[in-house]
Amino acid sequence: MKILVCISKTPDTTAKIAFTDNNTKFDESGVQWIINPYDEWYALVRAIELKEADASTVINLVTVAGADADPIIRKALALGGDEAIRVNANSHDSFYIASQIADVAKQGGYDLILTGKETIDYNGSSIGGMVAELLDQPFISLAAKLELAGTKATLTREIEGGEEVCEADLPLVVSAQKGMAEARIPNMRGIMAARTKPLKVVEPVAADSLTTVAGFDLPPAKAGVKLVDPENVDELVRLLHEEAKAI
Amino acid sequence: MSVLIFIDAAEGQVKKSSLEAMTYGAKIAEQLNVAAEGVVLGNVTEDLAALGKYGVKKIHQVSNDELKNLDAQVYANVIAQVAEASGATVIVFSNSMDGKAIAPRLSARMKAGLVAGAVALPDTSNGFTVKKSVFSGKAFANISVATPVKIISLSPNAYKTVAGEGTAEVVAFAATVDAPKVKVTSVNKASGEVPLTEAEIVVSAGRGLKGPENWGMVEELAKLLHAATACSRPVADADWRPHNEHVGQTGFAIAPNLYIAIGISGAIQDLAGVNRSKVIVVINKDPEAPFFKAADYGIVGDAFEVVPKLIESIKKLKGVA
Ligand SMILES: Cc1cc2nc3c(=O)[nH]c(=O)nc-3n(C[C@H](O)[C@H](O)[C@H](O)COP(=O)(O)OP(=O)(O)OC[C@H]3O[C@@H](n4cnc5c(N)ncnc54)[C@H](O)[C@@H]3O)c2cc1C
């Protein structure tokens, strides 16, 4: 069994979101970078669990990023995974990134490709589906459970107001979300081992970008909270009904 | 040429998020001076012609038993065929769970630039630029798409449904439908409850409620308002509430009209999931709780006293005993 886990570097969840260059660039000054939580907590940890259940499993990590992502990949390798591949390119276009991952996937011949359900910066939820299409493989989005029996996968997928259980044969692309696994912390042994695990850097293949980021905006500041006396809850209901027209 | 809107009618009924997508897509069609058309997959019981009131002039229906359940690969293939036949230059989805499965596949298949999670109409004054939510609701990005066909998936609750007049012409579309490779074996849906991501009103509670036994008043308030219930992450982690109620950076991102937060501190990761709500009400006994900074209305007080009063007061407003 060969598993490819897609890893993305994202700003820490508490990072201050600001922009420079006339609102065209994310202001990276002082920003701490982390592994995208969905990639780490759900996709990667589930892959590690599958390897724990079947020691012959090989886990490769892939990221499409510049060298500044290397510490993040090492951190992912510290959690688990046998080797990492970094496609040396910087892009914000999902199709370009998916094309690079699909190329790595084709060469590696993976049984299972796992991504997080979305990145917490661009919130695109797009890479998994695009990779699946480029590889002509089935795609299960927003999976909260994944079990394997031989070449058959059984998954639980989130749907509006509930969930559905489905089955598909490998190879398969899955985007992972909460429920898939429990977050782990790398231990000392993992951190030491990660230093010597292979991190292969490959150059990108030619691929199109379908979109560009023209600029960013910040939401308008809130006007400030209107506080209502706890002894006068009727006033809150009146405001919600008459002023906000929300109930 | 057309703007083609994917009408999600799983289980035979058109979803609310698809009504938004139709209203939105029809408006884009007007902007571009082309026809608004819809595509429905599967055997739908609802009166499709009546969807004309949301601005679609024509609906392509692909009836085939293989389309009963979602296999994104099969769906994307069929939608691509319809898009080609109708000369679609813009394809609109709702950024719902199914939209997230299908739209990226279609984008890669048609090499059509995708804007996932749009919150406004495209700006066509200079090219084609669409505003979407990024950084978990903390900012917006304007995404330019230059490909001949463009795909937009619209954030739920970002565009208001408008029902006007008119009926749509419903035509059967003969598509090549592959056998699905994904087999759905069971569907588990809490019937009668409002799905969280589609809800207009959400009542949410956090660790301030002390324990799962105290959620009765939250559920009562939600029922009264036809609202969905939600919770903060530690509440879901402690299994006080089901995981599918967890909102925030690592849970669902929602944007209801009204969000009522009870006993939630308003940590930055929690706010990331709810900061696009139109009106936010916070009930917290700590006047320093960060959530008040993001709120429109607030009550500094004990939830166990305030919420029962709120229920009584809303009952009065609604005239229920
Ligand atoms: C990477 C990362 C991702 C995260 N993702 C999420 C996420 O997706 N969603 C999420 O929610 N959190 C997330 N968190 C956790 C987040 O940081 C907070 O810990 C969490 O939101 C706190 O939950 P809470 O507000 O329910 O609990 P607390 O922080 O314990 O707050 C309880 C609040 O209730 C109030 N209170 C107590 N008693 C009463 C009473 N009787 N009446 C009224 N008010 C009362 C208190 O004043 C307090 O403000 C994440 C954290 C990290 C590090």
Side-chain angles (χ1 to χ4, degrees):
Chain A
M1 168 78 58
K2 266 187 99 174
I3 306 176
L4 183 66
V5 182
C6 306
I7 298 287
S8 174
K9 167 189 141 208
T10 55
D12 179 64
T13 52
T14 56
K16 182 172 163 18
I17 305 303
F19 302 98
T20 60
D21 294 29
N22 201 14
N23 275 347
T24 58
K25 261 213 195 91
F26 175 58
D27 183 358
E28 301 192 354
S29 59
V31 168
Q32 300 252 22
W33 298 92
I34 58 169
I35 310 171
N36 181 44
Y38 293 106
D39 304 348
E40 175 184 343
W41 300 354
Y42 308 127
L44 177 57
V45 176
R46 186 65 192 130
I48 295 168
E49 288 173 355
L50 291 170
K51 189 179 165 102
E52 284 163 356
D54 170 9
S56 69
T57 302
V58 173
I59 303 174
N60 288 359
L61 314 181
V62 62
T63 193
V64 181
D68 54 354
D70 286 351
I72 294 302
I73 312 198
R74 290 277 173 217
K75 195 183 157 210
L77 285 170
L79 277 163
D82 299 293
E83 71 171 72
I85 301 151
R86 175 167 64 78
V87 181
N88 188 26
N90 268 310
S91 171
H92 289 315
D93 179 65
S94 330
F95 182 77
Y96 180 89
I97 296 170
S99 302
Q100 304 306 329
I101 295 172
D103 186 67
V104 168
K106 270 180 201 152
Q107 295 185 27
Y110 296 93
D111 303 291
L112 178 65
I113 301 177
L114 292 170
T115 74
K117 88 160 185 183
E118 64 182 34
T119 55
I120 62 168
D121 48 7
Y122 284 85
N123 305 111
S125 241
S126 312
I127 300 291
M130 288 182 176
V131 169
E133 185 65 29
L134 292 168
L135 297 173
D136 197 23
Q137 289 179 9
F139 171 51
I140 310 288
S141 56
L142 312 182
K145 272 192 199 118
L146 161 67
E147 298 297 338
L148 294 180
T151 58
K152 188 169 170 193
T154 304
L155 301 108
T156 302
R157 169 180 108 82
E158 203 87 39
I159 57 172
E160 257 81 27
E163 53 186 36
E164 66 184 23
V165 180
C166 56
E167 294 171 356
D169 285 329
L170 302 177
L172 189 66
V173 182
V174 175
S175 82
Q177 67 157 359
K178 185 170 177 151
M180 184 67 96
E182 293 291 333
R184 293 186 180 185
I185 308 168
N187 57 28
M188 209 50 201
R189 203 158 56 101
I191 295 168
M192 297 304 286
R195 292 192 186 155
T196 52
K197 284 182 185 171
L199 196 173
K200 242 175 38 196
V201 180
V202 300
E203 289 308 312
V205 291
D208 291 329
S209 286
L210 308 182
T211 60
T212 48
V213 180
F216 296 95
D217 300 322
L218 288 169
K222 282 258 179 189
V225 58
K226 245 187 210 175
L227 287 179
V228 176
D229 186 333
E231 296 306 322
N232 193 3
V233 178
D234 284 349
E235 173 63 5
L236 175 66
V237 172
R238 188 194 67 78
L239 286 168
L240 289 177
H241 184 59
E242 291 175 13
E243 187 179 85
K245 301 201 174 10
I247 59 175
Chain B
M1 292 216 289
S2 75
V3 170
L4 183 69
I5 301 127
F6 173 66
I7 303 170
D8 192 345
E11 299 111 49
Q13 279 221 322
V14 176
K15 288 190 188 156
K16 171 180 167 257
S17 57
S18 286
L19 306 184
E20 295 166 1
M22 278 186 265
T23 309
Y24 176 81
K27 195 79 196 167
I28 299 176
E30 209 179 290
Q31 272 182 348
L32 301 176
N33 204 10
V34 299
E37 302 186 356
V39 51
V40 171
L41 308 191
N43 303 315
V44 180
T45 46
E46 205 167 309
D47 175 14
L48 291 176
L51 297 176
K53 63 175 179 282
Y54 302 105
V56 284
K57 298 279 178 276
K58 186 174 179 179
I59 293 176
H60 305 269
Q61 183 174 17
V62 187
S63 302
N64 189 311
D65 286 342
E66 304 278 37
L67 298 169
K68 187 163 175 285
N69 291 305
L70 171 73
D71 178 332
Q73 195 168 18
V74 178
Y75 270 47
N77 184 347
V78 171
I79 296 167
Q81 295 173 48
V82 176
E84 216 150 283
S86 87
T89 53
V90 178
I91 306 171
V92 176
F93 288 85
S94 165
N95 199 30
S96 61
M97 313 215 181
D98 287 359
K100 284 177 184 170
I102 310 163
R105 283 205 84 115
L106 189 64
S107 166
R109 187 178 189 92
M110 301 184 73
K111 284 222 175 168
L114 165 67
V115 181
V119 295
L121 286 167
D123 177 355
T124 52
S125 59
N126 175 21
F128 192 96
T129 305
V130 192
K131 191 186 281 293
K132 67 159 285 187
S133 164
V134 288
F135 294 102
S136 308
K138 287 172 230 157
F140 300 103
N142 298 300
I143 307 290
S144 296
V145 191
T147 48
V149 179
K150 298 149 179 91
I151 304 180
I152 306 176
S153 61
L154 174 68
S155 265
N157 284 340
Y159 201 79
K160 211 158 181 53
T161 301
V162 181
E165 302 282 312
T167 49
E169 177 199 356
V170 181
V171 291
F173 186 94
T176 310
V177 182
D178 300 329
K181 291 187 203 152
V182 179
K183 203 176 108 200
V184 174
T185 52
S186 73
V187 177
N188 184 357
K189 236 176 144 168
S191 60
E193 283 177 34
V194 188
L196 179 56
T197 45
E198 289 194 351
E200 298 267 345
I201 303 180
V202 174
V203 180
S204 185
R207 206 146 56 176
L209 286 205
K210 311 284 189 283
E213 65 281 6
N214 295 325
W215 248 261
M217 62 182 187
V218 176
E219 281 174 350
E220 189 182 351
L221 179 58
K223 201 157 164 225
L224 199 55
L225 293 169
H226 301 290
T229 47
C231 69
S232 66
R233 179 174 151 216
V235 165
D237 283 354
D239 283 330
W240 293 2
R241 298 295 293 173
H243 283 291
N244 57 16
E245 286 197 358
H246 161 193
V247 291
Q249 186 105 57
T250 44
F252 288 115
I254 54 171
N257 250 331
L258 174 62
Y259 180 79
I260 304 178
I262 304 165
I264 304 178
S265 58
I268 192 159
Q269 297 93 354
D270 182 69
L271 291 178
V274 301
N275 52 13
R276 288 192 302 114
S277 309
K278 286 188 195 80
V279 177
I280 295 180
V281 176
V282 169
I283 299 168
N284 196 304
K285 68 176 184 189
D286 174 9
E288 302 296 323
F291 220 142
F292 283 116
K293 291 203 178 67
D296 300 282
Y297 302 98
I299 292 186
V300 179
D302 187 334
F304 297 100
E305 287 163 24
V306 174
V307 175
K309 283 188 198 158
L310 185 57
I311 290 170
E312 287 317 308
S313 183
I314 292 172
K315 277 187 180 162
K316 251 190 294 172
L317 174 79
K318 301 213 168 208
V320 286

